[in-house]
Amino acid sequence: MAQIKTLAEFITERQHEFTYATGELSQLLTSFRLAAKIVNREVNKAGLAEDILGAQGTDNVQGEAQQKLDVYANDMFIRMLRSQGEVCAVASEENDDIVHFDNGGRYVVAMDPLDGSSNIDVNVSIGTIFSIYRRISTGPKATMEDFMQPGTAQVAAGYIVYGSSTMLVYTTGHGVNGFTLDPSIGTFCLSHPNITTPADGLYYSVNEGNSTDFSQGVKTYIENCKKSKTGARYIGSLVADFHRNLLKGGIYLYPATAKSPKGKLRLLYEANPLAMIVEQAGGSATDGGTRILDLKPSELHQRCPLFIGSKNMVEGVMRTLAS
Ligand code: AFP
């Protein structure tokens, strides 16, 4: 029988790669590991449980209707991060402002606790995205400065995809590894060691319903994809679209539109963590002009255009945009 390696074992085995105190990374990732299992349980029964399924009746800071599971997932991740003690503050898609823990923790986390939540009640994959930074401010509380660090300063990033199986994928800057939740034992097990993304992808993922708003460069790139018979895949959950392209090779595009002139996706907790992961897997991520990880944030919920995936495809879109 093949040897099983659990996520907890893997983290312990690889924690020497972490620049800071070795136990800290375990604690940080434990929060996500535990919360992910609990959120996974709720996501799996969403189709049955009427009290969980459906809109909460409030809007989040982005003006989007919050689904009940969004709120549940947000509370769960925050509770787990608070209890582990390494994180002193969180920026979440679901909270207008920074959530402080007042515990002296040395890290801050930016997260989208449940991405693609409009897909919950139609039984389509959704996800969680997270980004971890070392705190740089020195006062009693974390400040905006801690969250305004460029993506290059991330010490770890990851996502969880709740799909036909549930997977946790993360990087600390030493490659990307994926773990699948075995529901029979309730444990994440190493299933995708050392993920590398193909340099030439087979798919492009974009909401073409917005295409009349796209710049001529983006329109031309999409036309070129069609001419070369590149397959189209769009799920409408960033994590799921990204995960698919990471494994199979492809590009995800969310350009500026008339409705979202700065792009729709959020820099801190969508673009940056996925950009760190894709680069670690050999791919690229850009806003169309600048490498995502080099962007200097100025707002907690800042949006940016995103072109992310296989290296040669991202280079192709950059060339087309520049021509
Ligand atoms: P929700 O969490 O509100 O469903 O938003 C998800 C998201 O930000 C991202 O995950 C998707 O890729 C994107 O929106 C899909 O949006 P479009 O409907 O504009 O294509």
Side-chain angles (χ1 to χ4, degrees):
M1 197 170 97
Q3 189 160 6
I4 293 170
K5 182 159 294 174
T6 69
L7 174 56
E9 287 169 340
F10 185 87
I11 293 168
T12 308
E13 194 180 290
R14 300 284 285 267
Q15 60 185 353
H16 64 274
E17 293 174 347
F18 193 59
T19 319
Y20 305 103
T22 49
E24 292 178 354
L25 178 66
S26 305
Q27 298 281 90
L28 285 163
L29 293 172
T30 294
S31 315
F32 289 102
R33 182 167 61 88
L34 297 178
K37 288 188 205 177
I38 297 168
V39 171
N40 173 66
R41 187 190 65 197
E42 298 305 313
V43 167
N44 280 338
K45 64 184 193 193
L48 295 171
E50 283 184 14
D51 59 330
I52 294 290
L53 181 68
Q56 171 88 346
T58 56
D59 279 4
N60 66 9
V61 64
Q62 327 291 336
E64 296 155 351
Q66 280 185 324
Q67 302 288 307
K68 284 186 179 179
L69 264 174
D70 285 16
V71 178
Y72 182 88
N74 195 42
D75 290 351
M76 189 51 64
F77 281 102
I78 287 180
R79 193 189 305 175
M80 289 295 173
L81 287 166
R82 190 194 294 269
S83 74
Q84 294 294 320
E86 300 296 347
V87 171
C88 64
V90 171
S92 165
E93 191 200 16
E94 303 301 335
N95 297 95
D96 296 17
D97 301 315
I98 300 169
V99 178
H100 291 278
F101 296 162
D102 297 320
N103 60 359
R106 281 187 283 225
Y107 297 86
V108 298
V109 162
M111 66 171 183
D112 184 348
L114 211 56
D115 173 72
S117 49
S118 60
N119 275 329
I120 295 170
D121 51 2
V122 287
N123 211 353
V124 172
S125 299
I126 50 180
T128 297
I129 316 175
F130 61 90
S131 168
I132 305 173
Y133 290 86
R134 185 91 170 160
R135 184 186 169 192
I136 51 174
S137 66
T138 51
K141 277 180 163 199
T143 66
M144 276 293 276
E145 184 192 0
D146 298 310
F147 291 96
M148 296 302 106
Q149 301 182 63
T152 46
Q154 291 173 102
V155 295
Y159 63 84
I160 299 136
V161 59
Y162 312 94
S164 48
S165 58
T166 292
M167 274 191 74
L168 188 151
V169 176
Y170 83 95
T171 182
T172 57
H174 299 273
V176 181
N177 290 281
F179 302 81
T180 302
L181 183 62
D182 181 337
S184 65
I185 53 171
T187 303
F188 280 104
C189 299
L190 181 63
S191 53
H192 295 66
N194 200 18
I195 295 172
T196 54
T197 195
D200 292 295
L202 300 173
Y203 300 99
Y204 72 101
S205 307
V206 64
N207 184 344
E208 274 201 84
N210 295 329
S211 63
T212 51
D213 287 352
F214 294 164
S215 68
Q216 190 50 51
V218 175
K219 285 179 184 166
T220 305
Y221 182 76
I222 293 172
E223 277 315 304
N224 291 344
C225 286
K226 290 177 182 169
K227 281 181 196 151
S228 61
K229 306 281 183 225
T230 304
R233 295 285 186 279
Y234 192 71
I235 298 163
S237 291
L238 173 62
V239 173
D241 281 307
F242 174 84
H243 182 67
R244 186 176 208 293
N245 288 338
L246 184 75
L247 298 187
K248 305 262 184 196
I251 184 169
Y252 177 95
L253 309 93
Y254 210 112
T257 63
K259 193 174 158 203
S260 307
K262 293 181 177 167
K264 179 183 182 191
L265 302 175
R266 275 54 63 118
L267 174 60
L268 263 67
Y269 41 81
E270 292 184 311
N272 265 341
L274 298 185
M276 181 178 184
I277 290 167
V278 86
E279 285 199 7
Q280 283 296 314
S284 305
T286 167
D287 70 352
T290 306
R291 177 187 176 215
I292 291 289
L293 295 180
D294 287 335
L295 294 172
K296 176 85 178 84
S298 55
E299 290 169 35
L300 224 44
H301 300 285
Q302 186 169 332
R303 297 175 191 268
C304 67
L306 181 62
F307 304 90
I308 188 166
S310 293
K311 201 170 194 324
N312 293 341
M313 294 182 95
V314 175
E315 278 171 11
V317 81
M318 292 288 280
R319 268 196 308 276
T320 313
L321 293 179
S323 63

